[in-house]
Amino acid sequence: MAQPFDHYIDACLEATVSDGGLREDSFRSLIERGRPALREIRGELARGGLPHFGLASRRDDLRVIESLAMRLREDFRRVVILGTGGSSLGGQALVAIAPAAERRRLVFADNLDGGGFAELLADCEPARTHFVVISKSGSTTETLAQTFAVLDWARRQKRPLDLPRHFTVITEPGDNPLRRLADRLRLPLLDHDPEVGGRFSVLSLVGLLPGLIAGLDVMAVRKGAALVFERAIAEEDPAPLAAAALAVGLARERGRTQQVILPYAGALERFAQWHRQLWAESLGKNGRGVTPVAALGPVDQHSQLQLWLDGPADKSFTVITVAEPEPGPMIEPDLIQDPDLGYLSGQSLGAIVKIQARATIETLVDRGHPTRMIRLQRLDERTLGGLFMHFMLETVLAAHLLGISAYGQPAVESSKKLTKQYLAAG
Amino acid sequence: MAQPFDHYIDACLEATVSDGGLREDSFRSLIERGRPALREIRGELARGGLPHFGLASRRDDLRVIESLAMRLREDFRRVVILGTGGSSLGGQALVAIAPAAERRRLVFADNLDGGGFAELLADCEPARTHFVVISKSGSTTETLAQTFAVLDWARRQKRPLDLPRHFTVITEPGDNPLRRLADRLRLPLLDHDPEVGGRFSVLSLVGLLPGLIAGLDVMAVRKGAALVFERAIAEEDPAPLAAAALAVGLARERGRTQQVILPYAGALERFAQWHRQLWAESLGKNGRGVTPVAALGPVDQHSQLQLWLDGPADKSFTVITVAEPEPGPMIEPDLIQDPDLGYLSGQSLGAIVKIQARATIETLVDRGHPTRMIRLQRLDERTLGGLFMHFMLETVLAAHLLGISAYGQPAVESSKKLTKQYLAAG
C-alpha cells in the first residue's frame, strides 16, 4: 500500500544548500549510529514493550471507546476535554481534520485561566454537556482544579447534574487522587496505559476518543501509523532515522539549533503544536536538544519569514504540503478586471496556498537554509496517523543520537512541587 | 498617574543568575549606546515623524471609526476581518481582552486555506455579516484572494448583497489594486497611514477599529500607551531601553538567542503572537536578531518547560503576570475530601495560576536562566496599550543596538515575487 506521504531531505545536505547543510559523511555516520536504536525498538516491541508504537497494529481495544463515543454523540451536544499537554494536544491535532460541525462538538480546555474557564462554563448547556477528564498521573493540578470547578457548577444547576452520566475519567490504574475522586463519585473510569507517556498517547484512547467523538475513522489513523512503522522497521535508512540524523547533525555541526515545522494547511496548526511538545519534552534534557518551532503557512510568511530568511542562520525547516488540498472557493475570472491581479484569475484558494509553499521552499533553499519537505497526498486520517508515527519515531531516534532518554520530563518536577507548596502555605 | 505595569530585570543580570545573566558593565555600556536612539525618537516625533508612537497622544482621529464601529455593532451580527500579519495581530491581541460575547462579533481570517475559508463563509449569515478588508499595500495576495472569494459568495446569495453596505476597505492612499477594486465597486474606504508599518499599526485604526467593534475603550488603550511613552522619553534608563539592552547583550555575550514571552493569562495569548511578529520582522535582518518565542502559561509548563529548564541554555524569559487576575471559579472546600488535594481547597483558579507563575519564575531563576518579570496590576485596555507601546519601543531600541533598521521586511520580497510568477505561469 502506498505510503501516506513523501519525505525529501536533499535540501538539508551540503550538496544542495552548501554550508547551511550537513556534510554527507556526517549524515552517514549519524545514520550508522542510529541503526542500533531501530533494532532495539524492533526487539522491545517483539517483547511486548513500547506500546505507543505497538498500538498502531492493535485492533481489539477500540470497541469500548467506540460505543462510548457513539453514546456521547447521541446524548450530548458538547464534550469538554479537561486535560493539558499530552492529554490534550494529540486529540486536538486529530480533531482538527474533521469538518467544522463535527469539531464544534468538542472543546479542549487545556489551559488554566480563571476568566476563561468561567466563560467556558457559562457557555455550556448543563444538560447537554459531557466532561472527559484526562490525567495520566491523576494529579495534574490544572485538570483537578478544572474538575472541581465543574463539580461545583454541576451541583448549582436548577436541576443538579447526574454526575456519572456527565463525566468520563481517564487515568492510569492504581491509586491516585483523580481515581479516588472518580471512585467516590462513581464516575465511569477508563484506564490510561501506564506504559504510554502523555505526549506519546495519541494512538491510544487519549487521542482516539476525541477523534471518534468528532466522527473520524480512527482505524485509518492506526493503519496509517502502522504503515509508516512497518516501513521504518524494515528499511535500512528509513525516513525517521534520516530526519533524526539531520536534526542532530545540523544542530551540532551547523548551529541549526531550532527546527521550524511549517505546514501549509490550516488543519495542521495543532499538529505542529503536538509536535512541539513531543520534541521539546523528549529531547530537552542535560543541556541538549533542538528547540522546536511551531509555525503555519502562509500566515507566518507575514510574521516570521523575514527572520527565517535573513536573521541568524540557526534554524532548519520542515515544510509540510498537501498535494491535493481542498480547493475551497475559486477566484472567478470575471471578477478580476485589474491586469495587476491577473495572476489570481481562475485560481482556487487551495492552489494559491500550494504555490506559496513552493515559493517559500525555493526561497529558503536559495538562501542556504536546510529545508526538508514532507508532501502529503491528501489530509485525512490515514495520513495524519502516518505523521504521528513518523514524528514519534524521529523523536525517539533523535534522543538516541543525543544520548538521552526520550521518556520522562524530570526537570519540571521542582516547579510542580513549588506550586503545591505555595498553594498549601496559602 | 501610576504606570500600568512594573518591570523587573534583576534576574537577567549576572549578580542574580550568575553566568546565565548579563554582566553589569556590558549592560551599562549597551544602555549608554541606546540613549542616542531615545533622543532621536524624541526629536523625530517633535518634527512630526514616527506616527506609530505619536498616535498614542492623538485624540482627534477616532471619531470616524467610532461611528463606523457603532453602526457595525448595530447592523451586523458578525464582522470578518480579512487581513494577515500586521493587519490582523494587533486587533486580535486587543479584542482578546473583551468578554466572550463581544469577542464573538469578530472573526479574524488571517490565514489562507481553501477548506478553512469555505467553512468560514458557510458559517456566515450573509445579511448579517460585514467584511473589513485590511491591506496597507493593497496588494497582499492572501487578503485579495479572500476578498474575491467573498465577492463571489456575495453575488451568489438568493438576495445578492449590497456590497457598499457589507464592506469596509482599509488601505494606504495612492494607487494600488485593493483601492482600485474598492473604487470600482464603490466600497467605503478608510486610509491606512502610509507612514505606519503593519506591525506597528495597533494604535491606529487597524488595531482600534476591531477593538471598538468589540466594545472596548480604545481611548484608554492610547492613554496607557502615552503614559509608557512619556516615561520612556523622560527617564535616563527607561524600561524599554533596559530590556532592549538585555535582549541584545544576552544574545551576544551569553548565547541567549531566543526570547520566550510567557504570559500567565489566557487573554494575552494573541498578544504574544503580536509580539512575535513585531520582534521577528523588525530585528531579523543581516544575520542578526533574537528569535521570539510566543508561549502561554500555565499550559506550556506541560509542553515546553522541560526544554526551557534543562535543554540548551540559549533562551531568556519574559514572564508576564497579572496581580489581580479574574478569580474565576473557586474550589469549594467541601468538595475536597482527599488530603493529598488539600492544597487546592478554597483556591480560585486565578489564584492557582498566579502561584504557578511564581513557581515557574523561581525555578527558571534557580536554574540560572535570565528572567524578566512584567507584572500588570490588572488586564484592561490601559495596561494593554502600555504593553503595546513598551514592546514597540523596546523593538526599535533593540534594532538600534543591533545596527539595523526596525522598519521594512526586505527579505520576503523574493518569495512574494515567486508566488506571483508561479501563479501567473499557471
Side-chain angles (χ1 to χ4, degrees):
Chain A
M1 200 151 119
Q3 288 289 310
F5 52 83
D6 299 306
H7 190 254
Y8 304 99
I9 57 164
D10 282 0
C12 295
L13 294 168
E14 201 181 29
T16 306
V17 282
S18 167
D19 60 5
L22 191 60
R23 284 174 19 214
E24 183 76 28
D25 58 338
S26 309
F27 179 52
R28 284 291 131 204
S29 90
L30 279 161
I31 292 222
E32 283 300 331
R33 281 189 33 219
R35 285 202 184 117
L38 212 48
R39 280 195 296 272
E40 223 171 84
I41 290 173
R42 207 186 291 134
E44 278 196 57
L45 202 66
R47 289 189 296 278
L50 305 183
H52 49 295
F53 294 134
L55 280 166
S57 50
R58 276 186 70 177
R59 300 288 176 266
D60 58 308
D61 61 334
L62 295 180
R63 220 163 308 153
V64 174
I65 60 167
E66 276 167 354
S67 67
L68 170 61
M70 204 178 304
R71 187 170 68 75
L72 296 182
R73 284 171 63 88
E74 273 168 22
D75 292 358
F76 298 96
R77 186 191 296 265
R78 176 174 290 174
V79 177
V80 179
I81 311 284
L82 306 179
T84 190
S87 299
S88 182
L89 287 167
Q92 289 185 50
L94 181 53
V95 164
I97 64 166
E102 296 285 347
R103 289 200 309 273
R104 284 193 201 111
R105 292 177 184 273
L106 286 141
V107 176
F108 290 88
D110 61 353
N111 191 31
L112 193 68
D113 181 277
F117 202 71
E119 280 183 355
L120 181 148
L121 287 179
D123 200 40
C124 289
E125 273 180 272
R128 309 201 57 183
T129 304
H130 189 90
F131 297 87
V132 177
V133 185
I134 308 179
S135 166
K136 177 173 185 287
S137 69
S139 58
T140 309
T141 296
E142 291 86 343
T143 310
L144 287 166
Q146 289 177 341
T147 303
F148 285 113
V150 175
L151 290 173
D152 187 49
W153 170 85
R155 68 181 176 178
R156 283 172 193 273
Q157 301 304 320
K158 230 181 250 165
R159 193 182 294 204
L161 302 188
D162 172 27
L163 298 178
R165 184 177 133 76
H166 285 270
F167 274 87
T168 300
V169 171
I170 300 177
T171 187
E172 63 189 2
D175 184 45
N176 70 48
L178 178 58
R179 188 169 278 263
R180 290 197 294 267
L181 179 70
D183 283 340
R184 173 160 71 85
L185 302 175
R186 301 175 190 283
L187 310 179
L189 262 165
L190 293 169
D191 282 344
H192 192 304
D193 186 333
E195 301 300 318
V196 175
R199 62 183 176 274
F200 289 95
S201 68
V202 64
L203 298 176
S204 79
L205 79 173
V206 173
L208 300 190
L209 177 59
L212 284 164
I213 296 169
L216 293 173
D217 177 358
V218 304
M219 193 61 93
V221 175
R222 283 194 169 170
K223 281 183 185 159
L227 213 60
V228 166
F229 187 80
E230 279 150 28
R231 182 153 90 168
I233 288 297
E235 286 189 2
E236 272 290 277
D237 297 353
L241 177 55
L246 284 167
V248 171
L250 284 167
R252 189 176 298 164
E253 294 192 6
R254 300 300 196 184
R256 302 280 173 167
T257 55
Q258 299 169 54
Q259 183 178 190
V260 178
I261 304 284
L262 175 63
Y264 275 79
L268 289 175
E269 184 173 18
R270 299 311 289 179
F271 175 82
Q273 299 285 331
W274 170 83
H275 173 269
R276 178 168 164 267
Q277 180 195 11
L278 176 69
W279 190 257
E281 280 203 332
S282 301
L283 304 182
K285 286 162 192 167
N286 301 341
R288 294 173 208 168
V290 171
T291 298
V293 177
L296 181 65
V299 62
D300 280 329
Q301 295 180 203
H302 297 272
S303 83
Q304 302 303 296
L305 190 58
Q306 167 68 36
L307 171 75
W308 294 340
L309 290 173
D310 202 33
D314 57 5
K315 300 174 187 73
S316 72
F317 298 86
T318 295
V319 184
I320 306 179
T321 61
V322 184
E324 293 166 21
E326 268 190 69
M330 173 80 79
I331 300 180
E332 296 299 336
D334 70 303
L335 288 171
I336 306 273
Q337 296 180 16
D338 191 328
D340 284 5
L341 300 180
Y343 73 97
L344 290 173
S345 176
Q347 305 283 356
S348 69
L349 301 196
I352 295 171
V353 172
K354 253 182 84 168
I355 294 282
Q356 288 180 308
R358 184 178 153 202
T360 299
I361 290 167
E362 288 189 23
T363 310
L364 285 167
V365 173
D366 193 54
R367 292 250 182 173
H369 297 296
T371 305
R372 118 170 107 153
M373 283 156 267
I374 293 180
R375 200 182 57 159
L376 320 177
Q377 200 54 39
R378 65 188 65 76
L379 195 48
D380 59 14
E381 290 93 332
R382 182 169 160 276
T383 322
L384 201 53
L387 283 178
F388 287 135
M389 179 55 77
H390 172 96
F391 281 100
M392 287 197 287
L393 278 169
E394 186 175 314
T395 303
V396 170
L397 293 168
H400 176 87
L401 293 176
L402 290 167
I404 54 182
S405 162
Y407 307 107
Q409 49 279 344
V412 301
E413 290 308 319
S414 51
S415 148
K416 287 187 192 171
K417 255 186 228 156
L418 270 186
T419 297
K420 288 179 189 176
Q421 262 174 38
Y422 290 150
L423 285 168
Chain B
M1 202 151 119
Q3 288 289 313
F5 52 82
D6 299 305
H7 191 254
Y8 304 98
I9 58 165
D10 281 2
C12 294
L13 294 168
E14 201 182 28
T16 306
V17 282
S18 168
D19 61 5
L22 191 60
R23 284 174 20 214
E24 183 76 28
D25 57 339
S26 308
F27 179 51
R28 285 290 131 206
S29 91
L30 280 161
I31 291 220
E32 284 299 331
R33 282 190 32 220
R35 286 202 182 115
L38 212 49
R39 280 194 296 274
E40 224 172 82
I41 289 173
R42 206 186 290 134
E44 278 196 56
L45 202 67
R47 289 189 295 277
L50 305 183
H52 49 293
F53 294 135
L55 280 165
S57 49
R58 274 185 73 177
R59 299 289 177 265
D60 58 308
D61 60 333
L62 295 179
R63 221 163 308 151
V64 173
I65 59 167
E66 277 166 353
S67 66
L68 170 61
M70 205 179 304
R71 187 171 67 75
L72 296 182
R73 283 171 64 88
E74 273 167 21
D75 293 358
F76 299 95
R77 185 191 296 265
R78 175 174 291 176
V79 177
V80 179
I81 310 285
L82 306 180
T84 189
S87 299
S88 183
L89 288 167
Q92 289 185 50
L94 181 52
V95 165
I97 63 165
E102 295 285 347
R103 290 200 308 273
R104 283 191 202 112
R105 293 177 183 272
L106 286 141
V107 176
F108 291 86
D110 61 352
N111 191 31
L112 193 68
D113 181 277
F117 203 71
E119 280 183 353
L120 181 148
L121 288 178
D123 199 39
C124 289
E125 272 181 271
R128 309 203 54 183
T129 304
H130 188 90
F131 297 87
V132 177
V133 185
I134 309 179
S135 166
K136 177 173 185 286
S137 69
S139 58
T140 309
T141 295
E142 292 86 344
T143 310
L144 287 164
Q146 290 177 339
T147 303
F148 285 113
V150 175
L151 290 172
D152 188 48
W153 171 84
R155 67 181 177 180
R156 281 172 194 272
Q157 302 305 320
K158 229 181 247 165
R159 193 181 294 203
L161 302 189
D162 171 27
L163 298 179
R165 184 178 133 76
H166 285 269
F167 275 87
T168 300
V169 172
I170 299 177
T171 187
E172 62 188 3
D175 184 44
N176 70 49
L178 179 57
R179 187 168 279 263
R180 289 197 295 269
L181 179 70
D183 284 341
R184 174 161 71 83
L185 302 175
R186 300 175 190 281
L187 310 180
L189 263 165
L190 293 169
D191 282 343
H192 193 303
D193 186 332
E195 301 299 319
V196 175
R199 62 183 175 273
F200 289 95
S201 68
V202 64
L203 298 177
S204 80
L205 79 174
V206 172
L208 300 190
L209 177 60
L212 284 164
I213 295 168
L216 293 174
D217 177 358
V218 302
M219 193 62 92
V221 176
R222 282 196 170 168
K223 281 184 184 160
L227 213 60
V228 166
F229 187 80
E230 278 150 29
R231 181 154 91 168
I233 288 297
E235 285 189 0
E236 273 289 279
D237 296 354
L241 177 55
L246 284 168
V248 170
L250 285 167
R252 191 176 297 162
E253 294 192 6
R254 300 299 197 184
R256 302 281 175 167
T257 56
Q258 299 170 53
Q259 183 178 190
V260 178
I261 304 283
L262 174 62
Y264 275 80
L268 288 175
E269 185 173 18
R270 298 313 287 178
F271 175 82
Q273 299 285 332
W274 170 83
H275 174 270
R276 179 166 163 267
Q277 180 195 11
L278 176 71
W279 190 257
E281 280 203 333
S282 301
L283 304 182
K285 286 164 192 165
N286 301 342
R288 294 173 208 169
V290 172
T291 297
V293 177
L296 181 64
V299 62
D300 280 329
Q301 296 180 200
H302 296 271
S303 83
Q304 303 301 296
L305 189 59
Q306 168 67 35
L307 172 75
W308 295 340
L309 290 173
D310 202 34
D314 57 5
K315 299 174 188 74
S316 72
F317 298 87
T318 295
V319 184
I320 306 179
T321 61
V322 184
E324 294 167 20
E326 268 190 69
M330 172 79 82
I331 300 179
E332 297 299 337
D334 69 303
L335 288 172
I336 306 274
Q337 297 181 13
D338 191 329
D340 284 4
L341 300 180
Y343 73 97
L344 289 171
S345 176
Q347 305 282 356
S348 70
L349 301 196
I352 295 171
V353 173
K354 254 182 82 167
I355 293 282
Q356 288 180 309
R358 183 178 153 202
T360 300
I361 290 167
E362 288 188 23
T363 310
L364 285 166
V365 173
D366 193 52
R367 292 251 182 173
H369 297 296
T371 305
R372 117 170 107 153
M373 284 156 267
I374 294 180
R375 201 183 55 160
L376 320 177
Q377 199 54 37
R378 66 189 65 78
L379 195 48
D380 58 14
E381 290 94 331
R382 182 168 162 276
T383 322
L384 201 53
L387 283 179
F388 287 135
M389 178 56 76
H390 173 96
F391 281 100
M392 287 197 286
L393 278 169
E394 185 175 315
T395 303
V396 170
L397 293 167
H400 176 86
L401 293 175
L402 290 167
I404 55 182
S405 162
Y407 307 106
Q409 49 278 345
V412 301
E413 290 309 319
S414 50
S415 148
K416 288 187 190 171
K417 257 186 227 155
L418 271 186
T419 298
K420 288 179 189 177
Q421 264 175 38
Y422 290 150
L423 285 167

